[in-house]
Amino acid sequence: MQDAYDPAAVERDAQQFWASRGSFRSVENPAKRKFYCLSMFPYPSGKLHMGHVRNYTIGDVLTRYYRMRGFNVLQPMGWDAFGLPAENAAMANKVPPAKWTRDNIAYMKRQLQSLGFALDWQRELATCDASYYKWNQWLFTRLFRKGLAYKKTGVVNWDPVDQTVLANEQVIEGRGWRTGALVEKREIPMYFLRITAYADELLAALNDLPGWPEQVKLMQKNWIGKSEGVRIGFPYQLGSQNHVLWVFTTRADTLMGATFMAVAAEHPIALAASKNNPRLAAFVDECRKGAVMEADLAQIEKKGMPTGLDAFHPVTNEKIPVWVGNYVLMGYGEGAVMGVPAHDERDYAFALKYHLPIKPVIRHPLGDTVPAPWKPEYAEYGVCINSAPYDGLPYQEAVDAIAADLKAKSLGEKQVQWRLRDWGISRQRYWGTPIPIVHCPACGDVPVPDDQLPVRLPEDLVPDGTGNPLNKLAAYTDTKCPACGKPAKRETDTMDTFVDSSWYFARFACPGQDKAMLDERANYWMAVDQYIGGIEHAILHLLYSRFFQRAMVEQTGLMQGVKEPFANLLTQGMVLAESYYTDESGRREWVNPADVDVVRDAKGNIVSAKAKDGRALVYDGIGTMSKSKNNGVDPQALIDRYGADTARFYTMFASPPTNTLEWSDESVEGSYRFLRRIWTFAYRFSNATKSKDVDKEVRFRIHTELKQAGYDIQRQQFNTVASACMKILNALEEIEDWNATTEEGLSILLRLLSPIAPHVTHHLWRELGFGEDIMSAPWPDPDPAALEQDEIELVVQVNGKLRGSIRVPKAADRGAIEQLALSNPNVQKFVAGQNVKKVVVVPGRLVNLVV
RNA sequence: GCCGGAAUGGCGGAACCGGUAGACGCAGCGGACUCAAAAUCCGCCGGUGGCGACACCAUGAGAGUUCGAGUCUCUCUUCCGGCACCA
């Protein structure tokens, strides 16, 4: 055995061993309990970043752990290969997205393999392969025929200079990222998936997910946003025609306090009223400027303008002015709201600003009036006042009575409203799954029949930033109607990449299947037993996948009974790093932390920073690693220098998986040092003469750590599993000679460490003759006999403050413990001359004397 | 703005259930080895006071519940994630 730890050689050998054995291949075996462990697949952006290393190490630790526990484990890997970055790279380098993407995949695959992840590469898939996206198209046509996919208009960001649709990410402070032009909203026809048909089910089934973090379930619940209220109609006239302006409210009890109506700029009333009103037309126009992001809309100054139209109150018939409000969203509810300034904060501010009447109609904790400034109590529930005929009714009774009265007039009914909206999947972009629709002048939108799938995406185009290049490709767009055979145009929009990632987990179960989306192998492997990914996916990706799982069960008939795709979910925290910039050139230029020298004060705070080339830098705080801030830490440098095991060990040891991980170069060194220490220890052990002695005290500590580590790995707190390995080595190093406890401890240590650092433990396991393949060794369990103790230590407190400790026999009774506690000299100092009022004894832990 | 989190030494973190706050590691300081450096090994390492035994303070801030609170409740602050076309 070599005396120096050489990670490169050890890792090459171990990886060759696994490759020659096919160690990572998974085969269905109904006789064995399966464990499907899946980490979110990466976008092939070029090279791995630290978030990937962290994500896949977590998955691999669990994979290897469950394998040692005797499960039939599957851990696959694939590529989320469609998307915007490939188009940007294509524009920058004049290379087709397909080539850029496949080159990246090849490189990143080698990186993943060099990290020693136990991945079954025979199941690899890439969403940009026709063999994969064909089934996106297949499922889409099924949903389309069922009405679960449909066409309507949707709002997009429009860059008027480039004449192109922008992603939210491409809108910087309301302007197009390339042109700097003010972005406009534009309504265009799009295809939507009817996820709202599953809203009830997606909400209720959150209760069937005990293996999900509460915070994620809560976020999903709030996102789906079920609210029960009343849909209320306010009649109005436009010209000589009678119409009804519908609103939805959860506060129908405040109906009698409605003093204005507010509609979205896109609302038909606003459009009609602005025809003969240039000022209003200008305001509506202004509202349509700017981007579509809700976060921006929620923070803009609330503005409005009267339409000049009045609606009639459905109970009193009083005239109520109709306003256009820039804060009313067309996409939510009816695109209109009733304004009740007295009991809604936003309406209150709006009424003050535009001098609209404020009419209190609810008795709130502060009284019957609502003097400025606004107080949160004004919005609380209470009995109705100034609301004849509903005076004196509490909330629910008022809502019931009002809903009943409105229903009689056909001007209202109780309604459940969802915040969740249908999922718009059309993208006016090239690098995505073609939407399989043909537009026929005679037959309308015709889904492409199965025998013509897949609709293949031409792979040699290079986008230029001015819209979708497919539009300019007649060979693609000109086709025949599948229904009538006459000339027709192919749809050129592609699908949202979230479609690709909403079902890949099931496809991994069915490699090579080209006759169907899925086959019966999905019945064996699904659901995913453990899913691991970034907390940033807590809502959209996970919600879409839950929706797709249900759609797949319905359309394929497979996986009956597997409604939820992910039984257990681990949301890892993000990997953060410091970022630095210089604005010497007038523009912010970001400098990678690897090229920065930092001066800190005694408390560790950054005082100043300089680039390696001497330029003074501004510290911009800690944040997610991103290209835009150039603060990514390249894991390859880490692997090259220290090896995969150190990279893996560091990411597990540095913090618990759900926390954010703040990158620190210095701490990596400690992980490497630990692996080296094990190596050296094992080397010395292999050459030593061993006695048969047992060190009872060290053995107790080893098994105590083992017990804790076994618990910690199950609760997925891997940082303390790594600590336990260090503590065991520390304990072993205290033994004077090489004995039976050393040998037992080493065997436990290597197995405990093997999921985290598989290469070095694989090597040492064989070298020390413990066995042939540590991957197949059983996970160690603590020996109850080793954990037995004759005497235990109890802490003694006086009034909750630590004053001493006592050693008592394990079986000591309460009286004896009290006696012993009281006789402790330091304790006596604090008890002397006072009455002991109460004695709290926590068995095995402490005694608290209350004086 | 709305929804969800987080906050413990110079730093990452530990403390499962309310029961010894700071395990384990990093950085730092002192020492051994060395011609020297690296590596390695030994010791110290929250703050204040004290020669010391020890005492007091301390888990973002403020209150509360409890024999006992980092942990539970309320209010606040700061930071992080998401907000539907980044993935």
Side-chain angles (χ1 to χ4, degrees), chain A residues 39-89:
Chain A
S39 294
M40 290 180 186
F41 64 167
Y43 178 81
S45 54
K47 50 191 183 181
L48 292 185
H49 56 69
M50 284 313 308
H52 293 131
V53 175
R54 190 181 198 197
N55 198 160
Y56 303 135
T57 303
I58 294 169
D60 204 46
V61 167
L62 288 167
T63 293
R64 290 171 180 273
Y65 167 71
Y66 278 97
R67 185 173 162 139
M68 291 173 84
R69 281 282 189 204
F71 286 78
N72 187 28
V73 181
L74 166 61
Q75 184 181 226
M77 182 53 70
W79 308 95
D80 190 11
F82 274 137
L84 195 55
E87 296 197 13
N88 297 336

Side-chain angles (χ1 to χ4, degrees), chain A residues 169-202:
Chain A
E169 188 190 52
Q170 298 172 313
V171 180
I172 317 288
E173 286 164 10
R175 294 173 181 274
W177 67 333
R178 280 155 51 85
T179 64
L182 272 178
V183 170
E184 296 165 14
K185 283 177 240 179
R186 187 169 271 209
E187 284 193 63
I188 58 169
M190 294 173 40
Y191 292 95
F192 284 79
L193 299 186
R194 209 180 291 280
I195 190 173
T196 54
Y198 296 80
D200 240 327
E201 160 74 16
L202 290 170

Side-chain angles (χ1 to χ4, degrees), chain A residues 61-231:
Chain A
V61 167
L62 288 167
T63 293
R64 290 171 180 273
Y65 167 71
Y66 278 97
R67 185 173 162 139
M68 291 173 84
R69 281 282 189 204
F71 286 78
N72 187 28
V73 181
L74 166 61
Q75 184 181 226
M77 182 53 70
W79 308 95
D80 190 11
F82 274 137
L84 195 55
E87 296 197 13
N88 297 336
M91 281 189 270
N93 310 326
K94 306 274 189 286
V95 173
K99 174 165 171 39
W100 181 84
T101 301
R102 295 211 165 84
D103 287 350
N104 289 349
I105 288 175
Y107 182 76
M108 290 170 74
K109 181 175 178 179
R110 281 200 305 277
Q111 287 192 302
L112 289 174
Q113 288 173 326
S114 79
L115 280 158
F117 296 133
L119 295 162
D120 183 355
W121 285 104
Q122 296 200 322
R123 294 167 187 265
E124 180 182 6
L125 59 82
T127 58
C128 64
D129 289 341
S131 58
Y132 183 82
Y133 67 68
K134 173 181 180 178
W135 304 107
N136 285 354
Q137 296 174 337
W138 180 87
L139 187 69
F140 176 86
T141 58
R142 292 298 175 291
L143 297 179
F144 186 80
R145 291 192 189 104
K146 295 223 159 189
L148 288 169
Y150 65 97
K151 186 152 91 172
K152 70 169 180 179
T153 61
V155 187
V156 294
N157 303 305
W158 180 256
D159 185 321
V161 172
D162 265 351
Q163 294 282 300
T164 195
V165 175
L166 297 179
N168 284 341
E169 188 190 52
Q170 298 172 313
V171 180
I172 317 288
E173 286 164 10
R175 294 173 181 274
W177 67 333
R178 280 155 51 85
T179 64
L182 272 178
V183 170
E184 296 165 14
K185 283 177 240 179
R186 187 169 271 209
E187 284 193 63
I188 58 169
M190 294 173 40
Y191 292 95
F192 284 79
L193 299 186
R194 209 180 291 280
I195 190 173
T196 54
Y198 296 80
D200 240 327
E201 160 74 16
L202 290 170
L203 177 65
L206 289 172
N207 293 323
D208 307 330
L209 290 170
W212 279 39
E214 286 305 319
Q215 55 156 318
V216 173
K217 288 190 275 186
L218 192 52
M219 280 192 267
Q220 292 222 346
K221 177 176 180 246
N222 292 335
W223 183 264
I224 296 168
K226 181 178 187 175
S227 53
E228 291 173 41
V230 182
R231 183 172 181 252

Side-chain angles (χ1 to χ4, degrees), chain A residues 234-236 245 261 309-313 317-322:
Chain A
F234 291 72
Y236 68 99
L245 173 57
M261 314 295 294
L309 294 169
D310 289 317
F312 294 92
H313 193 285
N317 274 323
E318 276 175 50
K319 277 188 177 179
I320 301 181
V322 179

